[in-house]
Structures are given as C-alpha cells and as structure tokens.
Amino acid sequence: MLFAEISSKKNQIYIKKSGMNLEDTVTCGQCFRWNKYGDIFIGIVNGKICRAKQKDDLITLSYSGIENDIDFWIEYFDLQTDYSEILKSIKKGTYAFKASEACSGIHILKQDKWETLISFIISANNNITRIKKIIEMICERWGNFLHDGEYSSFSFPSWSALSQVSLEELSSLHVGYRDVYLYSVMHDENMMFKLNSFEILSNDNLKKELLRIKGVGPKVCACVMLFGYSRYAAFPEDVWIKRVESEHPEDNYSSASLGKYAGVIQQYMFHYSRNKCK
DNA sequence: ACCCAGGATTGCA
DNA sequence: TGCAATCATGGG
C-alpha cells in the first residue's frame, strides 16, 4: 500500500505526502551523500545526481530520466510504510514521544547495501562530518564521474571498483585503524552475493551473518539492518542514544520495549538529541 | 593538553 | 559471558 500520491512528468517526480520532512530525512545521520544548497538538496543516490526540494506537502525530485525510476524512489523514501502507526505506538510522556513529535517527518531510507556497509564501517568511533569527508574521498577516487550541467560529483564505487584498492591507498584516506576492516570487506569475492542473499534472512539470522563481517559489531550491524535492509526493529545504540538512555532510565529503552519499530523510534531520538533538543 | 565522535577487536578473567 | 585496554584521525 502506498502512503503518498506520486505523479511525474519528464525529468521530475512529485511526491505528495503529509507529515514527511525531506530535510530531516536526509540530514538525520542515516545517509551521508545528501547536501543542502539553499532551499534544495542534492543527493548522490543509485549512481545519479538527484535534486530534491520540499514545499509544504509536496516533494519534487529531479534528474534527467527520473520518470523511469519511480519504483526505485518509492522504495528509497519508504513510501509504503504507515508512519502514523509507528507514531501511535510510542508511549506518551517518554523522551521517545517528545522526540517523535519533533522528528515525525523522518522516513527511514532504504539504501544500497554495499554503500551502507562501507559507510557504517567508517562510522565507528567517528563523527558525521568526517565520515562524510572520507566517503567523498572514496567516491572521488574510485567512483564514476557524474554531472548534470551545473553540478558534478561521483557515484559510490561498486564492489568491483573497490576490490582493486590496496591497503596503502585506503590508509592514505586517513581512515585510521578501519583500513584493515575496509580492505577485508572490499576484497571478499563473495561480498555482493552475500549482501544480496541476506535479504531473505530473518532478523536474527541477518544479524548473525552481518556480525561475521570484519568491522561490523552490534551498532554497525543494527545500522546496516535498519538502513540497508529496512529491518525497523534493529536498534542502533551509539553514544547519543546511550546518553539518552542514561538520562532517562525511567523510560527503559531497549529493542524489546520499543517494539517492532524500535529502529525508527531510535532515529527520532538520535536526531532530536543531536539537532533539536537545545 | 584533553575530550569527543552513529565502536570493534582482542585478550583475559 | 562480561569487561577493559587498545586501536587512528581530526575538530573542539
């Protein structure tokens, strides 16, 4: 079921949906390749430069030929999930409820599994500004050049492109001790087959398999499950969420207590604690 | 000079 | 099983 009205014309897609917030969705820390330029956002997604802007309930996406990619964007922006149901499941009076009121416009993006895995391995004990810089360097060196007239960028490199990268080249990006994790993942001949075949696994088995990957611990695993596999129950506990938990012990946060949309609620709390609660 | 950032790994009890 | 030390890097 689709919870938005979609229409399109040449080089544009229109998403009409009340409650969704484009800016919060692409700046809440779940993705690293969207940037704001005035009142528009430019994202490098699926190997293309996408321009997006929002006015009231209408989000407009544009690039050359986008009218052929409607299904992709429905999935990417998670337009088939009933977010009103998630909001109703949050207990009133809790920090999570306050956060959800402020951040209810966030949608959980369904992102490319490979890009998500690499991005969140880099994210370990790192900050978002620097994570974005490192990812941009990877794209500039090994991605494909993209341009749409007035703007240019690079796609996120495929596995086959990154499988050619040496450990020394990775180290030169100042990724620190994460270089060996990235190298290991990039040189695993079966990585793409694995990531794709994991789609059918249960949450427990997906978690088990992802945790076997070098550089993937509980937190990175939860992020990949949430942002790459749309497993909304996955509950990433980073320093921000742990801080919220310690400051609100009465709310008793856990994946179990928050229910099957724990990860979505986590994202409300993460964004709220970092950007809106001041 | 320290502390922090969307933590993971390793070793040791 | 749980816990602490260790691991680069850059910004505040």
Side-chain angles (χ1 to χ4, degrees):
Chain A
M1 186 171 171
L2 194 54
F3 291 91
E5 292 176 36
I6 312 286
S7 58
S8 68
K9 67 175 188 185
K10 187 172 166 57
N11 300 338
Q12 287 192 323
I13 290 176
Y14 302 104
I15 301 169
K16 188 167 166 49
K17 183 183 195 306
S18 64
M20 181 172 173
N21 185 300
L22 174 67
E23 176 160 10
D24 286 341
T25 296
V26 300
T27 65
C28 71
Q30 61 176 323
C31 56
F32 304 101
R33 302 214 65 213
W34 282 91
N35 290 295
K36 186 178 185 181
Y37 299 91
D39 64 337
I40 78 160
F41 295 86
I42 299 181
I44 315 302
V45 182
N46 196 28
K48 289 161 189 168
I49 299 172
C50 182
R51 291 157 183 273
K53 62 181 175 182
Q54 178 168 24
K55 188 166 188 184
D56 301 322
D57 289 350
L58 184 66
I59 294 171
T60 304
L61 310 177
S62 65
Y63 57 76
S64 177
I66 195 173
E67 65 273 17
N68 300 313
D69 298 339
I70 292 177
D71 290 344
F72 172 86
W73 290 102
I74 288 174
E75 184 173 19
Y76 181 78
F77 279 118
D78 196 20
L79 301 177
Q80 300 184 96
T81 294
D82 184 1
Y83 279 82
S84 67
E85 182 193 334
I86 301 174
L87 295 169
K88 279 188 283 186
S89 76
I90 305 172
K91 198 189 299 179
K92 290 184 180 176
T94 61
Y95 184 90
F97 187 80
K98 215 187 315 177
S100 71
E101 287 188 306
C103 303
S104 61
I106 292 175
H107 277 213
I108 299 299
L109 301 175
K110 177 149 191 178
Q111 302 181 62
D112 178 78
K113 298 170 178 57
W114 171 242
E115 178 174 344
T116 304
L117 175 64
I118 297 294
S119 298
F120 280 95
I121 288 176
I122 294 168
S123 81
N125 199 26
N126 211 336
N127 62 73
I128 291 179
T129 305
R130 212 162 69 85
I131 295 164
K132 290 181 71 170
K133 284 181 186 170
I134 293 170
I135 293 171
E136 285 310 304
M137 286 191 286
I138 289 176
C139 295
E140 284 173 20
R141 289 212 194 176
W142 299 295
N144 297 320
F145 180 70
L146 308 172
H147 58 96
D148 71 351
E150 46 186 327
Y151 186 82
S152 65
S153 186
F154 296 84
S155 64
F156 190 88
S158 65
W159 173 84
S160 58
L162 291 178
S163 69
Q164 306 300 312
V165 176
S166 70
L167 183 57
E168 290 70 25
E169 288 177 297
L170 280 172
S171 303
S172 73
L173 301 179
H174 307 111
V175 293
Y177 58 86
R178 308 168 195 84
D179 56 359
V180 289
Y181 307 149
L182 294 171
Y183 184 85
S184 169
V185 169
M186 292 173 179
H187 288 259
D188 183 336
E189 297 287 331
N190 296 315
M191 187 50 67
M192 293 313 296
F193 173 77
K194 288 188 210 169
L195 291 179
N196 289 322
S197 63
F198 289 172
E199 183 76 52
I200 62 168
L201 297 180
S202 66
N203 286 350
D204 284 346
N205 286 330
L206 174 58
K207 180 177 181 179
K208 198 184 307 175
E209 292 296 330
L210 290 174
L211 285 174
R212 295 173 59 187
I213 299 172
K214 286 291 180 189
V216 177
K219 191 272 173 183
V220 170
C221 177
C223 285
V224 175
M225 289 179 68
L226 183 59
F227 306 132
Y229 291 85
S230 300
R231 304 303 175 99
Y232 304 122
F235 187 71
E237 288 186 271
D238 76 318
V239 294
W240 294 92
I241 294 300
K242 285 176 180 168
R243 196 173 297 143
V244 169
E245 290 169 342
S246 69
E247 290 172 358
H248 298 274
E250 72 280 7
D251 291 349
N252 193 25
Y253 291 119
S254 71
S255 182
S257 69
L258 290 172
K260 64 176 183 174
Y261 295 111
V264 185
I265 300 167
Q266 171 277 151
Q267 200 58 28
Y268 298 152
M269 295 195 289
F270 177 78
H271 190 50
Y272 184 66
S273 66
R274 291 186 70 244
N275 299 303
K276 307 217 170 194
C277 181
K278 48 177 184 242

